[in-house]
């Protein structure tokens, strides 16, 4: 759905994006992560056609964004990190303006405006002038503007900026819903917790280059072949539980103290289930047992050199 081929952008002697190759299939929520100055915003601006690359090609839904810009824009919704609004318009008037700019048919505009206002939680602000909105409310309005024409591709640059925790959760649910309806979403952020448990794939950018890209579970498996499992129990001593676990060849680095601890494990989910079954059959009263999952932040810290241009 999104294809960037040998994409490059130079600003004088500065190479902001360096021969970027990226393919994002339909239905992905792709998180582009990296420090400020890594080239994320420049990449997104070239993807939506706002910035012409020095060289390379951008295709969205198999449409050349530079060659057929008007056609490409029908498929793209874009929200920049900092965006301007028309302060003297009401919320619904602002959305009506952009619906017409996207050449939506007159019969569907009114209904679509009410739908997106409800989606982003601006019902009580529908008739409010934009200059009376808070920073977070304006951010919600920007998201509504980006999705008014039901784009197949959504490009979001730091979209959670200015949103309170509740609004951030609502944003996640909105984007998941759009993905379930077939949308493909490219979202950038340098705040990694914003992307946790949310993106299906990630790309790590540094100094204009893509350091690593792939589905989160695949990148995690490659970087952490050894899984860490934490457990707790009641009753038995740590030494007696250690003896039971030590009989399993898949386990290493067994570290237990009191009524809890962890171990390293290499193997499938079926084998891990057998480890738990072994404990239960030995009458160990297990109260919790589960893998410590790698977070997006963990992966970033492992893969990144923390370099900027």
């Amino acid at each position: 759905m999104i294809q960037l081929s040998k994409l490059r952008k130079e600003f004088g002697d500065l190479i902001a994006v360096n021969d970027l190759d990226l393919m994002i299939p339909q239905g992905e929520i792709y998180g582009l992560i990296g420090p400020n100055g890594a080239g994320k915003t420049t990449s997104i601006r070239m993807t939506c056609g706002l910035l012409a690359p020095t060289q390379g090609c951008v295709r969205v839904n198999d449409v050349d964004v530079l060659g057929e810009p008007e056609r490409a824009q029908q498929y793209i919704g874009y929200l920049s990190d900092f965006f301007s609004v028309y302060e003297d318009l009401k919320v619904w008037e602002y959305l009506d303006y952009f619906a017409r700019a996207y050449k939506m048919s007159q019969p569907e505009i009114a209904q679509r405006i009410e739908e997106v206002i409800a989606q982003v939680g601006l019902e009580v602000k529908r008739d409010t002038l934009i200059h009376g909105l808070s920073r977070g409310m304006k951010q919600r309005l920007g998201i509504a503007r980006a999705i008014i024409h039901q784009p197949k591709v959504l490009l979001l640059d730091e979209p959670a900026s200015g949103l309170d925790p509740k609004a951030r959760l609502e944003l996640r649910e909105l984007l998941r819903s759009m993905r379930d309806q077939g949308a493909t979403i490219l979202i950038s952020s340098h705040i990694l917790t914003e992307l946790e448990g949310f993106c299906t794939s990630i790309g790590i950018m540094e100094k204009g280059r893509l350091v690593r890209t792939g589905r989160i579970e695949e990148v995690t498996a490659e970087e952490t072949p050894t899984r860490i499992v934490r457990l707790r129990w009641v009753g038995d001593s740590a030494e007696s539980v250690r003896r039971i676990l030590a009989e399993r060849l898949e386990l290493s680095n067994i570290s237990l103290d009191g009524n809890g601890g962890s171990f390293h494990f290499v193997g499938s989910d079926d084998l891990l289930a057998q480890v738990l079954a072994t404990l239960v059959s030995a009458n160990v009263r297990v109260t919790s047992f589960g893998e410590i999952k790698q977070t997006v932040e963990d992966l970033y810290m492992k893969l990144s050199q923390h370099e900027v241009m």
Side-chain angles (χ1 to χ4, degrees):
M1 185 59 71
I2 301 174
Q3 182 177 355
L4 313 180
S5 303
K6 300 299 179 186
L7 202 60
R8 185 180 184 90
K9 184 61 182 179
E10 300 173 3
F11 295 101
D13 294 332
L14 175 66
I15 302 175
V17 177
N18 197 344
D19 297 334
L20 177 62
D21 287 309
L22 178 62
M23 293 186 67
I24 305 176
Q26 181 179 358
E28 291 277 350
I29 299 180
Y30 188 97
L32 193 59
I33 62 179
N36 290 326
K40 304 186 304 296
T41 293
T42 301
S43 299
I44 289 180
R45 292 185 69 196
M46 287 191 289
T47 302
C48 70
L50 284 179
L51 190 63
T54 304
Q55 66 181 45
C57 178
V58 178
R59 299 188 73 84
V60 170
N61 198 28
D62 207 29
V63 176
D64 186 330
V65 172
L66 288 177
E68 300 180 81
E70 189 168 341
R71 182 181 169 208
Q73 293 310 313
Q74 299 303 311
Y75 302 117
I76 298 172
Y78 169 63
L79 179 66
S80 61
D81 188 3
F82 299 99
F83 61 93
S84 299
V85 291
Y86 303 119
E87 300 277 349
D88 57 346
L89 291 182
K90 295 179 180 180
V91 165
W92 76 265
E93 291 174 330
Y94 180 79
L95 295 174
D96 180 79
Y97 174 85
F98 279 95
R100 294 173 190 275
Y102 280 115
K103 299 181 180 179
M104 294 176 62
S105 65
Q106 186 61 39
E108 67 178 324
I109 289 177
Q111 179 181 349
R112 184 60 185 155
I113 288 173
E114 300 308 318
E115 287 175 353
V116 296
I117 284 177
Q119 280 182 296
V120 300
L122 285 176
E123 297 98 319
V124 297
K125 300 294 183 179
R126 181 188 183 281
D127 296 306
T128 301
L129 291 174
I130 293 174
H131 70 72
L133 299 180
S134 67
R135 171 76 172 90
M137 289 292 183
K138 288 179 180 178
Q139 191 74 3
R140 294 186 189 208
L141 181 59
I143 294 167
R145 184 203 70 197
I147 66 174
I148 186 70
H149 59 304
Q150 297 179 290
K152 293 179 179 293
V153 170
L154 194 56
L155 307 174
L156 305 174
D157 193 6
E158 305 283 355
S161 175
L163 296 182
D164 57 51
K166 180 175 182 293
R168 292 186 183 202
L169 290 174
E170 291 171 347
L171 172 62
R172 288 187 181 195
E173 291 307 312
L174 170 61
L175 298 184
R176 285 195 186 103
S177 173
M178 291 188 65
R179 178 198 63 194
D180 292 342
Q181 295 169 23
T184 303
I185 301 166
L186 172 59
I187 179 172
S188 79
S189 182
H190 66 282
I191 302 174
L192 303 185
T193 53
E194 289 180 357
L195 305 180
E196 194 62 50
F198 171 54
C199 294
T200 53
S201 299
I202 58 169
I204 297 174
M205 282 198 80
E206 287 190 350
K207 299 182 73 173
R209 292 184 179 274
L210 203 58
V211 177
R212 176 65 72 84
T213 182
R215 293 188 66 83
I216 290 179
E217 61 270 21
E218 294 170 355
V219 176
T220 301
E222 290 172 5
E223 294 301 319
T224 55
T226 300
R227 304 159 71 176
I228 302 175
V229 178
R230 181 172 290 157
L231 74 157
R232 295 195 64 80
W233 68 90
V234 294
D236 297 82
S237 68
E239 190 55 41
S240 64
V241 174
R242 187 193 313 275
R243 284 196 298 269
I244 297 169
L245 293 175
E247 295 176 359
R248 304 288 309 197
L249 299 179
E250 308 91 349
L251 275 57
S252 62
N253 292 63
I254 300 172
S255 176
L256 305 178
D257 184 29
N259 290 100
S262 64
F263 58 82
H264 289 200
F265 171 80
V266 177
S268 65
D269 287 343
D270 286 341
L271 279 176
L272 187 57
Q274 290 176 26
V275 175
L276 176 59
T278 298
L279 290 168
V280 173
S281 64
N283 295 319
V284 177
R285 291 177 290 168
V286 179
T287 58
S288 66
F289 183 95
E291 182 179 355
I292 303 174
K293 293 290 186 180
Q294 286 268 39
T295 65
V296 171
E297 187 169 8
D298 293 332
L299 289 174
Y300 176 71
M301 295 303 292
K302 281 189 174 185
L303 297 170
S304 172
Q305 299 299 313
H306 314 296
E307 295 179 341
V308 297
M309 291 176 285

